[in-house]
Amino acid sequence: EKKPFQKNEQPDSISAYTKTNLKNYFPATDTEFETVVKFENTSVFYGQKAALSDINWEVKKGESWALLGPNGSGKSTLLSMIMADNPQAYQNKMWLFDRRRGSGESIWDIKKRIGFVSPELHLFFSKQIPVWKVVASGLFDSAGLFQKLSSDQNCRVFEMLELFEIANLKDRMIAELSLGEQRTAFLARALVKNSPLLLLDEACQNLDYNHMVYFREMINEIVSRTGKTLIYVTHNQEEIPTCVNNVFRLNEGRRV
């Protein structure tokens, strides 16, 4: 049985089982697009204040990007556009997965192609929810599990628990886990539906150094072995996986 992470304890290294099975569990099934994200002279205003000004950015399928910038630079607004949560997308020239926003796609069509992790995501979940239900909720992009799983969905959830070496924790309440274990469970949630885009927003926030290194190396293995597109948002450049080879910097709503 895998020993749970303890505070300031060095996590186990990524196992050979995980490395070997990453490509098997994440086959490239969603390939009918070339451009994941494209902004063309995109601006977002809240009242008279510009949150984003004349943003031009294109992320191609299979690329890995770091999105950097201080608090208040516009990162959250930019992410809300990518996550289809910002109605001002319709007032701009913006494309997601080769489709111009407003061309008939639903918000849920977009979200099913994005695996998302952020500290804020935890706030939407009950503290008294077992780990396996946290992972399963990623199949439906919901903050909890509210429907019965099919046999295939159930198998997929337990594949993710095994892959990320948290199967022994499946019936524990999420609040009982260490922060490192919680973040691993939410990563499994993000990947359970095998989305082509992995969007990580401050995913290592509040982790101690050892857990940060473990998480960083796990992301590097996933992206390097599966070819998923990555957008990695952080304040701390030390957290950026080595697979990242493109950088987009924001300051005061502008690309710098």
Side-chain angles (χ1 to χ4, degrees), residues 130-142:
V131 170
W132 75 267
K133 285 189 176 183
V134 170
V135 177
S137 71
L139 293 166
F140 312 103
D141 296 302
S142 56

Side-chain angles (χ1 to χ4, degrees), residues 55-151:
I55 296 298
N56 291 282
W57 186 25
E58 187 170 9
V59 177
K60 291 289 191 180
K61 180 174 62 181
E63 291 182 342
S64 295
W65 285 79
L67 174 58
L68 308 178
N71 288 334
S73 63
K75 298 192 306 298
S76 294
T77 300
L78 195 63
L79 291 184
S80 73
M81 300 284 276
I82 298 172
M83 292 290 294
D85 292 329
N86 195 315
Q88 293 195 46
Y90 302 112
Q91 303 167 22
N92 284 280
K93 291 183 178 180
M94 179 190 172
W95 292 259
L96 292 172
F97 304 101
D98 282 348
R99 294 193 64 173
R100 174 84 181 261
R101 285 307 315 274
S103 62
E105 79 290 352
S106 75
I107 290 174
W108 300 109
D109 288 335
I110 295 169
K111 287 185 179 294
K112 72 182 181 182
R113 301 175 101 171
I114 302 173
F116 180 64
V117 179
S118 77
E120 288 74 22
L121 185 63
H122 297 196
L123 300 177
F124 293 101
F125 280 76
S126 165
K127 290 181 171 29
Q128 298 304 310
I129 179 174
V131 170
W132 75 267
K133 285 189 176 183
V134 170
V135 177
S137 71
L139 293 166
F140 312 103
D141 296 302
S142 56
L145 185 62
F146 307 106
Q147 52 193 292
K148 185 176 176 62
L149 298 181
S150 69
S151 59

Side-chain angles (χ1 to χ4, degrees), residues 107-202:
I107 290 174
W108 300 109
D109 288 335
I110 295 169
K111 287 185 179 294
K112 72 182 181 182
R113 301 175 101 171
I114 302 173
F116 180 64
V117 179
S118 77
E120 288 74 22
L121 185 63
H122 297 196
L123 300 177
F124 293 101
F125 280 76
S126 165
K127 290 181 171 29
Q128 298 304 310
I129 179 174
V131 170
W132 75 267
K133 285 189 176 183
V134 170
V135 177
S137 71
L139 293 166
F140 312 103
D141 296 302
S142 56
L145 185 62
F146 307 106
Q147 52 193 292
K148 185 176 176 62
L149 298 181
S150 69
S151 59
D152 285 347
Q153 289 170 333
N154 195 60
C155 286
R156 179 63 178 176
V157 169
F158 284 92
E159 281 181 349
M160 293 298 98
L161 292 166
E162 289 285 349
L163 184 68
F164 290 100
E165 302 183 274
I166 52 174
N168 62 308
L169 305 175
K170 65 184 178 65
D171 295 317
R172 296 266 297 274
M173 297 301 110
I174 191 70
E176 296 174 357
L177 273 57
S178 72
L179 187 56
E181 290 169 333
Q182 289 182 35
R183 209 58 57 83
T184 300
F186 276 93
L187 179 60
R189 176 190 183 273
L191 288 160
V192 68
K193 59 188 175 179
N194 194 20
S195 299
L197 172 61
L198 189 55
L199 180 54
L200 305 180
D201 181 14
E202 304 288 354

Side-chain angles (χ1 to χ4, degrees), residues 22-38:
L22 278 169
K23 196 165 186 178
N24 296 332
Y25 286 160
F26 301 115
T29 57
D30 188 355
T31 58
E32 297 179 356
F33 60 90
E34 292 299 326
T35 300
V36 177
V37 177
K38 183 178 179 181

Side-chain angles (χ1 to χ4, degrees), residues 33-50:
F33 60 90
E34 292 299 326
T35 300
V36 177
V37 177
K38 183 178 179 181
F39 295 100
E40 189 174 301
N41 299 320
T42 294
S43 297
V44 174
F45 288 87
Y46 297 119
Q48 299 299 311
K49 180 175 175 57

